[in-house]
Structure formats: structure tokens, C-alpha cells
Amino acid sequence: KPKNNSIDENTGDIINSETGEVIEFAPKWRANYIKIHIDDTGVTAFAWMNPIEVIKTLNNDVELLGFEKIQKIFKQQMKLNYINLNKKNHLIFHISNIELGLVHIAEKDKIGYFLLVPAWTFYGSFEDPSLSPSSDFNYLLQTGTNDIQTSLLVINAIDGTVIGS
């Protein structure tokens, strides 16, 4: 018999209806997302959190930068972001996923209004192999699993500006 899990409308967490325990924490930083929980019995929970309303389209067709250019920007920005941590060039970055999607950025001078912009998001982790694997530094930097993804960098796919890191 499938579980009838529920989703907390305030937090987006998936709750086991039998035990009341949180099965999966929702990412708190996302304003709009769809969350589907699937187990061996099928879909057990579905929620569309904070759906957005598109008011107008600024550009129907836009040209995106080639991925080679995005890669160069990624490498340059990662060096800048981690130069203080990487003084001995020991950091190793593990990129687990790269996504092209729409991200929302705040519209200037309009509180509560956002622009949806095509962007590349690079997910992964990093480590310093010169330190012991159990060091506090490596513990904080490595996820150790493939199911947790940390966004390392978000790059605007139209003009190459850095949206977030």
C-alpha cells in the first residue's frame, strides 16, 4: 500500500504521514519549485511551491553564449572565488552536475519582482587532499554523497555575468 506522505506548505518538507517525521528537507532558498517524492510504490507526494506569475516577456528569442565561453568564465571565477583557500593549489573541485535552466534575479527597484534569466548552474564539492580526509576543513567542504548537490557557481547564459556563487 502506498504511503500517503504530505508536504508541509510552509517549509516544503516531505512528511511521513504515519510517523510525522521529515523524510526530506526542502531547499529553503528556492522561491518557486516543484517537488515530487517517489519511492518503490510510486509517487507519494507532489507539491508546487510558490508558483510564479509571468507578467511580461522582455525577449522572446535570445542568443546564448557558447559553452566553451561559459567554461572559461567558470574556471576564471572559481580561481577568484577560492584564491584565499587555494594558496598552494591543492584544492580539487568535483563537478557532479551542470544544468542549463532559468533562474530568477531581483528586478532593480521593484521589490518582489524578478526576471527569469537562462543560466548555467555548476554543482559539486571540493577538497584539499593535502589535509587529512577527516579534517574539519574537508568535512565541511565534501558532501561525501551524490544525493546532495552544492551550487558552486551560477553564470548568466546570455552575457556571462556571475549570478551567484
Side-chain angles (χ1 to χ4, degrees):
K1 178 181 174 188
K3 299 173 196 147
N4 292 318
N5 297 325
S6 62
I7 296 182
D8 184 308
E9 293 297 325
N10 295 319
T11 65
D13 295 340
I14 297 176
I15 309 297
N16 182 313
S17 59
E18 295 171 7
T19 65
E21 295 177 344
V22 174
I23 297 172
E24 183 180 340
F25 293 102
K28 306 289 189 258
W29 61 90
R30 293 188 182 173
N32 171 45
Y33 64 97
I34 294 175
K35 188 168 196 108
I36 302 171
H37 188 262
I38 301 171
D39 65 13
D40 57 351
T41 64
V43 175
T44 61
F46 175 88
W48 186 357
M49 304 301 291
N50 304 318
I52 60 171
E53 178 185 349
V54 177
I55 297 172
K56 65 181 174 180
T57 301
L58 298 179
N59 298 310
N60 284 323
D61 297 313
V62 294
E63 186 175 338
L64 304 182
L65 294 174
F67 192 70
E68 298 78 21
K69 177 71 174 167
I70 297 296
Q71 284 177 301
K72 287 179 184 174
I73 294 167
F74 173 79
K75 289 177 185 177
Q76 292 168 347
Q77 191 63 41
M78 291 300 283
K79 285 180 184 176
L80 291 172
N81 286 359
Y82 296 100
I83 195 164
N84 289 332
L85 292 176
N86 200 22
K87 290 180 182 175
K88 297 179 183 176
N89 292 318
H90 288 185
L91 291 183
I92 297 174
F93 291 89
H94 303 279
I95 305 303
S96 59
N97 194 23
I98 303 171
E99 292 180 356
L100 174 61
L102 294 173
V103 298
H104 69 275
I105 57 174
E107 191 168 356
K108 186 178 180 180
D109 299 328
K110 289 188 176 182
I111 297 173
Y113 288 83
F114 299 89
L115 299 172
L116 287 175
V117 177
W120 289 98
T121 303
F122 292 78
Y123 295 97
S125 61
F126 58 98
E127 64 179 308
D128 185 340
S130 69
L131 300 174
S132 98
S134 62
S135 74
D136 289 342
F137 181 75
N138 276 339
Y139 177 77
L140 291 172
L141 298 181
Q142 290 179 289
T143 61
T145 62
N146 291 329
D147 59 339
I148 298 175
Q149 294 188 353
T150 301
S151 172
L152 296 174
L153 194 61
V154 181
I155 301 172
N156 184 319
I158 297 172
D159 63 10
T161 56
V162 174
I163 296 173
S165 56

